[in-house]
Every structure is written in structure tokens, then in C-alpha cells.
PDB file of all heavy atoms in Angstrom:
ATOM      1  N   TYR L   1      18.523  12.329 -15.648  1.00  0.00           N
ATOM      2  CA  TYR L   1      17.525  11.235 -16.137  1.00  0.00           C
ATOM      3  C   TYR L   1      16.086  12.079 -16.154  1.00  0.00           C
ATOM      4  O   TYR L   1      15.713  12.527 -15.003  1.00  0.00           O
ATOM      5  CB  TYR L   1      17.589  10.049 -15.430  1.00  0.00           C
ATOM      6  CG  TYR L   1      16.975   8.939 -16.098  1.00  0.00           C
ATOM      7  CD1 TYR L   1      17.648   8.008 -16.870  1.00  0.00           C
ATOM      8  CD2 TYR L   1      15.554   8.675 -15.980  1.00  0.00           C
ATOM      9  CE1 TYR L   1      16.926   6.981 -17.595  1.00  0.00           C
ATOM     10  CE2 TYR L   1      14.874   7.695 -16.601  1.00  0.00           C
ATOM     11  CZ  TYR L   1      15.603   6.839 -17.404  1.00  0.00           C
ATOM     12  OH  TYR L   1      14.805   5.771 -17.995  1.00  0.00           O
ATOM     13  N   ASP L   2      15.351  11.880 -17.112  1.00  0.00           N
ATOM     14  CA  ASP L   2      13.998  12.418 -17.140  1.00  0.00           C
ATOM     15  C   ASP L   2      13.038  11.181 -16.775  1.00  0.00           C
ATOM     16  O   ASP L   2      12.780  10.350 -17.402  1.00  0.00           O
ATOM     17  CB  ASP L   2      13.566  12.701 -18.605  1.00  0.00           C
ATOM     18  CG  ASP L   2      12.254  13.325 -18.637  1.00  0.00           C
ATOM     19  OD1 ASP L   2      11.686  13.726 -17.500  1.00  0.00           O
ATOM     20  OD2 ASP L   2      11.649  13.382 -19.715  1.00  0.00           O
ATOM     21  N   ILE L   3      12.867  11.241 -15.370  1.00  0.00           N
ATOM     22  CA  ILE L   3      12.063  10.146 -14.794  1.00  0.00           C
ATOM     23  C   ILE L   3      10.575  10.210 -15.204  1.00  0.00           C
ATOM     24  O   ILE L   3       9.948  11.350 -15.043  1.00  0.00           O
ATOM     25  CB  ILE L   3      12.154  10.206 -13.287  1.00  0.00           C
ATOM     26  CG1 ILE L   3      13.563  10.170 -12.797  1.00  0.00           C
ATOM     27  CG2 ILE L   3      11.406   9.026 -12.659  1.00  0.00           C
ATOM     28  CD1 ILE L   3      13.732  10.483 -11.351  1.00  0.00           C
ATOM     29  N   LYS L   4      10.025   9.171 -15.744  1.00  0.00           N
ATOM     30  CA  LYS L   4       8.582   9.157 -16.262  1.00  0.00           C
ATOM     31  C   LYS L   4       7.778   8.662 -15.006  1.00  0.00           C
ATOM     32  O   LYS L   4       8.213   8.029 -14.190  1.00  0.00           O
ATOM     33  CB  LYS L   4       8.476   8.147 -17.358  1.00  0.00           C
ATOM     34  CG  LYS L   4       9.385   8.382 -18.568  1.00  0.00           C
ATOM     35  CD  LYS L   4       9.129   9.594 -19.256  1.00  0.00           C
ATOM     36  CE  LYS L   4       9.973   9.633 -20.554  1.00  0.00           C
ATOM     37  NZ  LYS L   4      11.478   9.843 -20.338  1.00  0.00           N
ATOM     38  N   GLU L   5       6.511   9.175 -15.096  1.00  0.00           N
ATOM     39  CA  GLU L   5       5.533   8.813 -13.917  1.00  0.00           C
ATOM     40  C   GLU L   5       5.537   7.289 -13.615  1.00  0.00           C
ATOM     41  O   GLU L   5       5.500   6.779 -12.545  1.00  0.00           O
ATOM     42  CB  GLU L   5       4.139   9.408 -14.188  1.00  0.00           C
ATOM     43  CG  GLU L   5       3.975  10.742 -13.791  1.00  0.00           C
ATOM     44  CD  GLU L   5       4.382  11.105 -12.432  1.00  0.00           C
ATOM     45  OE1 GLU L   5       3.873  10.345 -11.500  1.00  0.00           O
ATOM     46  OE2 GLU L   5       5.301  11.899 -12.137  1.00  0.00           O
ATOM     47  N   HIS L   6       5.534   6.410 -14.701  1.00  0.00           N
ATOM     48  CA  HIS L   6       5.289   5.018 -14.580  1.00  0.00           C
ATOM     49  C   HIS L   6       6.669   4.389 -13.995  1.00  0.00           C
ATOM     50  O   HIS L   6       6.563   3.168 -13.636  1.00  0.00           O
ATOM     51  CB  HIS L   6       4.961   4.424 -15.944  1.00  0.00           C
ATOM     52  CG  HIS L   6       6.033   4.283 -16.930  1.00  0.00           C
ATOM     53  ND1 HIS L   6       6.294   5.294 -17.815  1.00  0.00           N
ATOM     54  CD2 HIS L   6       6.990   3.239 -17.163  1.00  0.00           C
ATOM     55  CE1 HIS L   6       7.448   4.876 -18.494  1.00  0.00           C
ATOM     56  NE2 HIS L   6       7.894   3.835 -18.120  1.00  0.00           N
ATOM     57  N   GLU L   7       7.679   5.111 -13.958  1.00  0.00           N
ATOM     58  CA  GLU L   7       9.030   4.678 -13.400  1.00  0.00           C
ATOM     59  C   GLU L   7       9.006   4.951 -11.858  1.00  0.00           C
ATOM     60  O   GLU L   7       9.890   4.458 -11.125  1.00  0.00           O
ATOM     61  CB  GLU L   7      10.076   5.218 -14.045  1.00  0.00           C
ATOM     62  CG  GLU L   7      10.292   4.866 -15.475  1.00  0.00           C
ATOM     63  CD  GLU L   7      11.187   5.628 -16.314  1.00  0.00           C
ATOM     64  OE1 GLU L   7      11.515   6.830 -16.141  1.00  0.00           O
ATOM     65  OE2 GLU L   7      11.949   4.993 -17.152  1.00  0.00           O
ATOM     66  N   ARG L   8       8.148   5.753 -11.413  1.00  0.00           N
ATOM     67  CA  ARG L   8       8.145   6.152  -9.921  1.00  0.00           C
ATOM     68  C   ARG L   8       7.381   5.218  -9.117  1.00  0.00           C
ATOM     69  O   ARG L   8       6.425   4.531  -9.456  1.00  0.00           O
ATOM     70  CB  ARG L   8       7.516   7.482  -9.788  1.00  0.00           C
ATOM     71  CG  ARG L   8       8.428   8.679 -10.479  1.00  0.00           C
ATOM     72  CD  ARG L   8       7.747  10.019 -10.219  1.00  0.00           C
ATOM     73  NE  ARG L   8       8.515  11.079 -10.845  1.00  0.00           N
ATOM     74  CZ  ARG L   8       9.695  11.663 -10.432  1.00  0.00           C
ATOM     75  NH1 ARG L   8      10.214  11.195  -9.386  1.00  0.00           N
ATOM     76  NH2 ARG L   8      10.195  12.575 -11.166  1.00  0.00           N
ATOM     77  N   PRO L   9       7.632   4.986  -7.876  1.00  0.00           N
ATOM     78  CA  PRO L   9       6.775   4.195  -6.964  1.00  0.00           C
ATOM     79  C   PRO L   9       5.394   4.847  -6.643  1.00  0.00           C
ATOM     80  O   PRO L   9       5.396   5.909  -6.745  1.00  0.00           O
ATOM     81  CB  PRO L   9       7.659   4.223  -5.744  1.00  0.00           C
ATOM     82  CG  PRO L   9       8.547   5.435  -5.696  1.00  0.00           C
ATOM     83  CD  PRO L   9       8.756   5.636  -7.193  1.00  0.00           C
ATOM     84  N   LEU L  10       4.619   3.957  -6.339  1.00  0.00           N
ATOM     85  CA  LEU L  10       3.180   4.464  -5.883  1.00  0.00           C
ATOM     86  C   LEU L  10       3.234   4.382  -4.432  1.00  0.00           C
ATOM     87  O   LEU L  10       2.625   3.636  -3.818  1.00  0.00           O
ATOM     88  CB  LEU L  10       2.053   3.554  -6.581  1.00  0.00           C
ATOM     89  CG  LEU L  10       2.084   3.508  -8.094  1.00  0.00           C
ATOM     90  CD1 LEU L  10       1.044   2.458  -8.533  1.00  0.00           C
ATOM     91  CD2 LEU L  10       1.801   4.888  -8.677  1.00  0.00           C
ATOM     92  N   THR L  11       3.923   5.468  -3.787  1.00  0.00           N
ATOM     93  CA  THR L  11       4.097   5.321  -2.460  1.00  0.00           C
ATOM     94  C   THR L  11       2.829   5.522  -1.650  1.00  0.00           C
ATOM     95  O   THR L  11       2.618   4.903  -0.588  1.00  0.00           O
ATOM     96  CB  THR L  11       5.033   6.631  -1.987  1.00  0.00           C
ATOM     97  OG1 THR L  11       6.248   6.544  -2.768  1.00  0.00           O
ATOM     98  CG2 THR L  11       5.263   6.707  -0.444  1.00  0.00           C
ATOM     99  N   GLN L  12       1.825   6.372  -2.157  1.00  0.00           N
ATOM    100  CA  GLN L  12       0.585   6.481  -1.482  1.00  0.00           C
ATOM    101  C   GLN L  12      -0.109   5.147  -1.567  1.00  0.00           C
ATOM    102  O   GLN L  12      -0.919   4.781  -0.512  1.00  0.00           O
ATOM    103  CB  GLN L  12      -0.163   7.574  -2.046  1.00  0.00           C
ATOM    104  CG  GLN L  12      -1.501   7.903  -1.308  1.00  0.00           C
ATOM    105  CD  GLN L  12      -1.281   8.358   0.050  1.00  0.00           C
ATOM    106  OE1 GLN L  12      -0.536   9.338   0.283  1.00  0.00           O
ATOM    107  NE2 GLN L  12      -1.934   7.751   1.048  1.00  0.00           N
ATOM    108  N   GLY L  13       0.020   4.335  -2.406  1.00  0.00           N
ATOM    109  CA  GLY L  13      -0.652   3.063  -2.567  1.00  0.00           C
ATOM    110  C   GLY L  13      -0.227   2.188  -1.298  1.00  0.00           C
ATOM    111  O   GLY L  13      -1.017   1.539  -0.719  1.00  0.00           O
ATOM    112  N   ILE L  14       1.032   2.200  -1.136  1.00  0.00           N
ATOM    113  CA  ILE L  14       1.713   1.386   0.049  1.00  0.00           C
ATOM    114  C   ILE L  14       1.187   2.032   1.301  1.00  0.00           C
ATOM    115  O   ILE L  14       0.815   1.128   2.190  1.00  0.00           O
ATOM    116  CB  ILE L  14       3.163   1.363  -0.079  1.00  0.00           C
ATOM    117  CG1 ILE L  14       3.534   0.711  -1.405  1.00  0.00           C
ATOM    118  CG2 ILE L  14       3.772   0.688   1.135  1.00  0.00           C
ATOM    119  CD1 ILE L  14       5.049   0.549  -1.734  1.00  0.00           C
ATOM    120  N   LEU L  15       1.128   3.291   1.447  1.00  0.00           N
ATOM    121  CA  LEU L  15       0.672   3.852   2.726  1.00  0.00           C
ATOM    122  C   LEU L  15      -0.691   3.550   3.021  1.00  0.00           C
ATOM    123  O   LEU L  15      -1.099   3.106   4.103  1.00  0.00           O
ATOM    124  CB  LEU L  15       0.777   5.449   2.614  1.00  0.00           C
ATOM    125  CG  LEU L  15       2.218   6.052   2.408  1.00  0.00           C
ATOM    126  CD1 LEU L  15       2.180   7.545   2.547  1.00  0.00           C
ATOM    127  CD2 LEU L  15       3.125   5.538   3.531  1.00  0.00           C
ATOM    128  N   ASP L  16      -1.503   3.503   2.024  1.00  0.00           N
ATOM    129  CA  ASP L  16      -2.979   3.095   2.162  1.00  0.00           C
ATOM    130  C   ASP L  16      -3.142   1.625   2.567  1.00  0.00           C
ATOM    131  O   ASP L  16      -3.995   1.471   3.499  1.00  0.00           O
ATOM    132  CB  ASP L  16      -3.805   3.148   0.798  1.00  0.00           C
ATOM    133  CG  ASP L  16      -3.921   4.661   0.366  1.00  0.00           C
ATOM    134  OD1 ASP L  16      -3.804   5.521   1.346  1.00  0.00           O
ATOM    135  OD2 ASP L  16      -4.241   4.938  -0.782  1.00  0.00           O
ATOM    136  N   VAL L  17      -2.276   0.787   1.994  1.00  0.00           N
ATOM    137  CA  VAL L  17      -2.205  -0.715   2.565  1.00  0.00           C
ATOM    138  C   VAL L  17      -1.869  -0.765   4.014  1.00  0.00           C
ATOM    139  O   VAL L  17      -2.481  -1.533   4.804  1.00  0.00           O
ATOM    140  CB  VAL L  17      -1.255  -1.439   1.619  1.00  0.00           C
ATOM    141  CG1 VAL L  17      -1.141  -2.904   2.223  1.00  0.00           C
ATOM    142  CG2 VAL L  17      -1.953  -1.608   0.240  1.00  0.00           C
ATOM    143  N   LEU L  18      -0.842  -0.100   4.402  1.00  0.00           N
ATOM    144  CA  LEU L  18      -0.297  -0.156   5.670  1.00  0.00           C
ATOM    145  C   LEU L  18      -1.333   0.309   6.684  1.00  0.00           C
ATOM    146  O   LEU L  18      -1.384  -0.342   7.772  1.00  0.00           O
ATOM    147  CB  LEU L  18       1.010   0.595   5.794  1.00  0.00           C
ATOM    148  CG  LEU L  18       2.239   0.012   5.084  1.00  0.00           C
ATOM    149  CD1 LEU L  18       3.513   0.878   5.285  1.00  0.00           C
ATOM    150  CD2 LEU L  18       2.512  -1.415   5.418  1.00  0.00           C
ATOM    151  N   TYR L  19      -1.932   1.405   6.345  1.00  0.00           N
ATOM    152  CA  TYR L  19      -2.986   1.931   7.319  1.00  0.00           C
ATOM    153  C   TYR L  19      -4.169   1.012   7.334  1.00  0.00           C
ATOM    154  O   TYR L  19      -4.861   0.957   8.378  1.00  0.00           O
ATOM    155  CB  TYR L  19      -3.371   3.404   6.953  1.00  0.00           C
ATOM    156  CG  TYR L  19      -2.213   4.372   7.416  1.00  0.00           C
ATOM    157  CD1 TYR L  19      -1.537   5.097   6.499  1.00  0.00           C
ATOM    158  CD2 TYR L  19      -2.014   4.577   8.748  1.00  0.00           C
ATOM    159  CE1 TYR L  19      -0.401   5.880   6.847  1.00  0.00           C
ATOM    160  CE2 TYR L  19      -0.949   5.572   9.131  1.00  0.00           C
ATOM    161  CZ  TYR L  19      -0.244   6.110   8.115  1.00  0.00           C
ATOM    162  OH  TYR L  19       0.667   6.999   8.491  1.00  0.00           O
ATOM    163  N   ASP L  20      -4.624   0.511   6.271  1.00  0.00           N
ATOM    164  CA  ASP L  20      -5.733  -0.481   6.223  1.00  0.00           C
ATOM    165  C   ASP L  20      -5.437  -1.631   7.145  1.00  0.00           C
ATOM    166  O   ASP L  20      -6.287  -2.223   7.816  1.00  0.00           O
ATOM    167  CB  ASP L  20      -5.992  -0.877   4.826  1.00  0.00           C
ATOM    168  CG  ASP L  20      -6.755   0.158   3.992  1.00  0.00           C
ATOM    169  OD1 ASP L  20      -7.272   1.165   4.548  1.00  0.00           O
ATOM    170  OD2 ASP L  20      -6.822   0.016   2.777  1.00  0.00           O
ATOM    171  N   LEU L  21      -4.125  -2.149   6.983  1.00  0.00           N
ATOM    172  CA  LEU L  21      -3.709  -3.394   7.921  1.00  0.00           C
ATOM    173  C   LEU L  21      -3.870  -3.023   9.336  1.00  0.00           C
ATOM    174  O   LEU L  21      -4.346  -3.763  10.192  1.00  0.00           O
ATOM    175  CB  LEU L  21      -2.367  -3.683   7.492  1.00  0.00           C
ATOM    176  CG  LEU L  21      -2.176  -4.592   6.144  1.00  0.00           C
ATOM    177  CD1 LEU L  21      -0.686  -4.697   5.927  1.00  0.00           C
ATOM    178  CD2 LEU L  21      -2.916  -5.850   6.252  1.00  0.00           C
ATOM    179  N   GLU L  22      -3.448  -1.797   9.613  1.00  0.00           N
ATOM    180  CA  GLU L  22      -3.527  -1.468  11.069  1.00  0.00           C
ATOM    181  C   GLU L  22      -4.936  -1.228  11.545  1.00  0.00           C
ATOM    182  O   GLU L  22      -5.267  -1.676  12.646  1.00  0.00           O
ATOM    183  CB  GLU L  22      -2.800  -0.030  11.256  1.00  0.00           C
ATOM    184  CG  GLU L  22      -2.710   0.411  12.715  1.00  0.00           C
ATOM    185  CD  GLU L  22      -2.058   1.789  12.773  1.00  0.00           C
ATOM    186  OE1 GLU L  22      -2.466   2.713  12.088  1.00  0.00           O
ATOM    187  OE2 GLU L  22      -1.183   1.916  13.622  1.00  0.00           O
ATOM    188  N   GLU L  23      -5.725  -0.670  10.728  1.00  0.00           N
ATOM    189  CA  GLU L  23      -7.254  -0.463  11.058  1.00  0.00           C
ATOM    190  C   GLU L  23      -7.957  -1.741  11.219  1.00  0.00           C
ATOM    191  O   GLU L  23      -8.742  -1.866  12.057  1.00  0.00           O
ATOM    192  CB  GLU L  23      -7.905   0.350   9.911  1.00  0.00           C
ATOM    193  CG  GLU L  23      -9.250   0.726  10.293  1.00  0.00           C
ATOM    194  CD  GLU L  23      -9.930   1.588   9.207  1.00  0.00           C
ATOM    195  OE1 GLU L  23      -9.182   2.182   8.377  1.00  0.00           O
ATOM    196  OE2 GLU L  23     -11.295   1.635   9.252  1.00  0.00           O
ATOM    197  N   ASN L  24      -7.525  -2.827  10.439  1.00  0.00           N
ATOM    198  CA  ASN L  24      -8.145  -4.092  10.653  1.00  0.00           C
ATOM    199  C   ASN L  24      -7.426  -5.177  11.273  1.00  0.00           C
ATOM    200  O   ASN L  24      -7.785  -6.357  11.315  1.00  0.00           O
ATOM    201  CB  ASN L  24      -8.388  -4.590   9.158  1.00  0.00           C
ATOM    202  CG  ASN L  24      -9.564  -3.741   8.456  1.00  0.00           C
ATOM    203  OD1 ASN L  24     -10.700  -3.778   8.668  1.00  0.00           O
ATOM    204  ND2 ASN L  24      -8.993  -3.033   7.492  1.00  0.00           N
ATOM    205  N   SER L  25      -6.307  -4.837  12.067  1.00  0.00           N
ATOM    206  CA  SER L  25      -5.602  -5.663  12.847  1.00  0.00           C
ATOM    207  C   SER L  25      -6.312  -6.471  13.967  1.00  0.00           C
ATOM    208  O   SER L  25      -5.859  -7.545  14.278  1.00  0.00           O
ATOM    209  CB  SER L  25      -4.268  -4.979  13.385  1.00  0.00           C
ATOM    210  OG  SER L  25      -4.721  -4.016  14.268  1.00  0.00           O
ATOM    211  N   ASP L  26      -7.270  -5.984  14.347  1.00  0.00           N
ATOM    212  CA  ASP L  26      -8.109  -6.510  15.498  1.00  0.00           C
ATOM    213  C   ASP L  26      -9.242  -7.595  15.180  1.00  0.00           C
ATOM    214  O   ASP L  26      -9.885  -8.189  15.851  1.00  0.00           O
ATOM    215  CB  ASP L  26      -8.728  -5.549  16.456  1.00  0.00           C
ATOM    216  CG  ASP L  26      -7.826  -4.528  17.133  1.00  0.00           C
ATOM    217  OD1 ASP L  26      -6.597  -5.132  17.439  1.00  0.00           O
ATOM    218  OD2 ASP L  26      -8.000  -3.433  17.423  1.00  0.00           O
ATOM    219  N   ASP L  27      -9.313  -7.722  13.764  1.00  0.00           N
ATOM    220  CA  ASP L  27     -10.336  -8.585  13.217  1.00  0.00           C
ATOM    221  C   ASP L  27      -9.659  -9.903  12.915  1.00  0.00           C
ATOM    222  O   ASP L  27      -8.951 -10.196  11.850  1.00  0.00           O
ATOM    223  CB  ASP L  27     -10.983  -7.976  12.057  1.00  0.00           C
ATOM    224  CG  ASP L  27     -12.214  -8.777  11.501  1.00  0.00           C
ATOM    225  OD1 ASP L  27     -12.276  -9.905  11.988  1.00  0.00           O
ATOM    226  OD2 ASP L  27     -12.939  -8.200  10.610  1.00  0.00           O
ATOM    227  N   PRO L  28      -9.907 -10.952  13.659  1.00  0.00           N
ATOM    228  CA  PRO L  28      -9.146 -12.284  13.449  1.00  0.00           C
ATOM    229  C   PRO L  28      -9.592 -12.963  12.199  1.00  0.00           C
ATOM    230  O   PRO L  28      -8.924 -13.833  11.664  1.00  0.00           O
ATOM    231  CB  PRO L  28      -9.517 -13.068  14.661  1.00  0.00           C
ATOM    232  CG  PRO L  28     -10.970 -12.446  15.216  1.00  0.00           C
ATOM    233  CD  PRO L  28     -10.776 -11.057  14.741  1.00  0.00           C
ATOM    234  N   GLU L  29     -10.841 -12.579  11.672  1.00  0.00           N
ATOM    235  CA  GLU L  29     -11.345 -13.243  10.467  1.00  0.00           C
ATOM    236  C   GLU L  29     -10.887 -12.670   9.245  1.00  0.00           C
ATOM    237  O   GLU L  29     -11.184 -13.192   8.144  1.00  0.00           O
ATOM    238  CB  GLU L  29     -12.896 -13.199  10.499  1.00  0.00           C
ATOM    239  CG  GLU L  29     -13.510 -14.073  11.713  1.00  0.00           C
ATOM    240  CD  GLU L  29     -15.001 -14.029  11.756  1.00  0.00           C
ATOM    241  OE1 GLU L  29     -15.651 -13.477  10.738  1.00  0.00           O
ATOM    242  OE2 GLU L  29     -15.533 -14.657  12.599  1.00  0.00           O
ATOM    243  N   LEU L  30     -10.212 -11.474   9.265  1.00  0.00           N
ATOM    244  CA  LEU L  30      -9.763 -10.807   8.136  1.00  0.00           C
ATOM    245  C   LEU L  30      -8.196 -10.809   8.013  1.00  0.00           C
ATOM    246  O   LEU L  30      -7.543 -10.085   8.695  1.00  0.00           O
ATOM    247  CB  LEU L  30     -10.130  -9.289   8.320  1.00  0.00           C
ATOM    248  CG  LEU L  30     -10.029  -8.456   6.968  1.00  0.00           C
ATOM    249  CD1 LEU L  30     -10.735  -9.002   5.775  1.00  0.00           C
ATOM    250  CD2 LEU L  30     -10.413  -6.985   7.355  1.00  0.00           C
ATOM    251  N   ASP L  31      -7.683 -11.814   7.188  1.00  0.00           N
ATOM    252  CA  ASP L  31      -6.228 -11.900   7.061  1.00  0.00           C
ATOM    253  C   ASP L  31      -5.999 -11.220   5.643  1.00  0.00           C
ATOM    254  O   ASP L  31      -6.224 -11.739   4.595  1.00  0.00           O
ATOM    255  CB  ASP L  31      -5.996 -13.355   6.964  1.00  0.00           C
ATOM    256  CG  ASP L  31      -4.395 -13.572   6.913  1.00  0.00           C
ATOM    257  OD1 ASP L  31      -3.744 -12.403   6.731  1.00  0.00           O
ATOM    258  OD2 ASP L  31      -3.992 -14.692   6.892  1.00  0.00           O
ATOM    259  N   MET L  32      -5.418 -10.081   5.808  1.00  0.00           N
ATOM    260  CA  MET L  32      -5.152  -9.293   4.588  1.00  0.00           C
ATOM    261  C   MET L  32      -3.726  -9.301   4.075  1.00  0.00           C
ATOM    262  O   MET L  32      -3.265  -8.741   3.147  1.00  0.00           O
ATOM    263  CB  MET L  32      -5.452  -7.806   4.787  1.00  0.00           C
ATOM    264  CG  MET L  32      -6.899  -7.676   5.229  1.00  0.00           C
ATOM    265  SD  MET L  32      -7.162  -5.833   5.728  1.00  0.00           S
ATOM    266  CE  MET L  32      -6.605  -4.861   4.305  1.00  0.00           C
ATOM    267  N   SER L  33      -2.880 -10.174   4.784  1.00  0.00           N
ATOM    268  CA  SER L  33      -1.350 -10.109   4.548  1.00  0.00           C
ATOM    269  C   SER L  33      -1.017 -10.473   3.160  1.00  0.00           C
ATOM    270  O   SER L  33      -0.146  -9.881   2.592  1.00  0.00           O
ATOM    271  CB  SER L  33      -0.737 -11.009   5.582  1.00  0.00           C
ATOM    272  OG  SER L  33      -1.198 -12.317   5.477  1.00  0.00           O
ATOM    273  N   ASP L  34      -1.638 -11.670   2.597  1.00  0.00           N
ATOM    274  CA  ASP L  34      -1.187 -11.945   1.172  1.00  0.00           C
ATOM    275  C   ASP L  34      -1.545 -10.939   0.223  1.00  0.00           C
ATOM    276  O   ASP L  34      -0.836 -10.537  -0.663  1.00  0.00           O
ATOM    277  CB  ASP L  34      -1.916 -13.333   0.829  1.00  0.00           C
ATOM    278  CG  ASP L  34      -1.103 -14.480   1.424  1.00  0.00           C
ATOM    279  OD1 ASP L  34      -0.066 -14.198   1.987  1.00  0.00           O
ATOM    280  OD2 ASP L  34      -1.619 -15.599   1.369  1.00  0.00           O
ATOM    281  N   ASP L  35      -2.831 -10.389   0.251  1.00  0.00           N
ATOM    282  CA  ASP L  35      -3.138  -9.273  -0.658  1.00  0.00           C
ATOM    283  C   ASP L  35      -2.342  -8.029  -0.546  1.00  0.00           C
ATOM    284  O   ASP L  35      -2.048  -7.426  -1.384  1.00  0.00           O
ATOM    285  CB  ASP L  35      -4.723  -8.985  -0.374  1.00  0.00           C
ATOM    286  CG  ASP L  35      -5.650 -10.209  -0.972  1.00  0.00           C
ATOM    287  OD1 ASP L  35      -5.178 -10.982  -1.784  1.00  0.00           O
ATOM    288  OD2 ASP L  35      -6.894 -10.096  -0.412  1.00  0.00           O
ATOM    289  N   ALA L  36      -2.077  -7.745   0.814  1.00  0.00           N
ATOM    290  CA  ALA L  36      -1.328  -6.557   1.141  1.00  0.00           C
ATOM    291  C   ALA L  36       0.008  -6.698   0.515  1.00  0.00           C
ATOM    292  O   ALA L  36       0.553  -5.722  -0.145  1.00  0.00           O
ATOM    293  CB  ALA L  36      -1.146  -6.359   2.648  1.00  0.00           C
TER     294      ALA L  36
END
């Protein structure tokens, strides 16, 4: 199968979200879970 770019996951995008959540986990006023 010739996999097209738009058919692949955006893995780095998810990694960025997970690391952002970790970085801001100590801020009680910043609830990013829904957006994440």
C-alpha cells in the first residue's frame, strides 16, 4: 500500500500535547485536558 502523508498519524503533535500537559500540571488554574 502506498501510504499517503495525510493517512499517517501526527505523532509529534501528540507528543507536544503530552509534554505541554506535564509542564503545566502544577498550575491549578490551567485545565488543558479537554483541549488536549
